[in-house]
Amino acid sequence: MADTLSPHERSVRMGLIKERNTKPEMAVRRLLHAKGFRYRLHANELPGKPDIVFRRRRKAIFVHGCFWHRHTDPECNLARFPKSRAEFWRAKFEANQARDAENCRMLREMGWNVLVVWECELRDAEQLGNKLERFVRG
């Protein structure tokens, strides 16, 4: 299937995709804040710049969009595959997954505990809130 947008229109649209302070990230931050946790954001000195960091506890949280980071849960319908430019997207997604795995590995080697929160987990805020609390307190 051919792209319905011109290259310029596609570039403008892709440029609007945010890297930080995304809706899923803000939702996770609100859940943590409501449970009384205080944290730091986007630790630039750590591999992968984790979205949320608890320095004294040495815990890092990544909030991943299911589409961009390729959530592999078969029940997740947000990790759909684009119909156009399949080879480009396949390479892009594989590189994203490899980078994510490497960042988690490096953090664990540095003694950090790492949690990945997937965008689709926000559908059940209570369950996610409990998961976050167990991770931070544990």
Side-chain angles (χ1 to χ4, degrees), residues 2-4 7 10-12 41-42 59 73 86 99 113 120 129:
D3 197 350
T4 57
R10 174 62 59 198
S11 177
V12 169
L41 302 175
H42 312 294
K59 297 187 185 260
D73 185 342
R99 183 196 62 219
N113 292 314
C120 64

Side-chain angles (χ1 to χ4, degrees), residues 64-123:
H64 285 343
C66 296
F67 176 80
W68 293 106
H69 297 270
R70 305 311 299 164
H71 191 194
T72 55
D73 185 342
E75 294 184 18
C76 177
N77 59 2
L78 299 176
R80 64 193 179 285
F81 197 85
K83 294 177 182 171
S84 63
R85 302 185 64 200
E87 283 307 311
F88 166 80
W89 287 111
R90 189 176 329 282
K92 170 83 175 154
F93 293 147
E94 287 174 2
N96 287 353
Q97 287 180 309
R99 183 196 62 219
D100 293 341
E102 179 66 12
N103 289 333
C104 287
R105 185 192 62 76
M106 287 191 297
L107 279 169
R108 288 186 176 111
E109 284 181 1
M110 294 168 64
W112 287 76
N113 292 314
V114 178
L115 177 69
V116 174
V117 175
W118 292 98
E119 178 182 7
C120 64
E121 291 181 275
L122 291 168
R123 292 177 183 152

Side-chain angles (χ1 to χ4, degrees), residues 52-67:
I52 299 167
V53 173
F54 299 88
R55 290 186 191 280
R56 274 188 252 149
R57 299 170 191 245
R58 297 189 68 81
K59 297 187 185 260
I61 299 175
F62 288 99
V63 182
H64 285 343
C66 296
F67 176 80

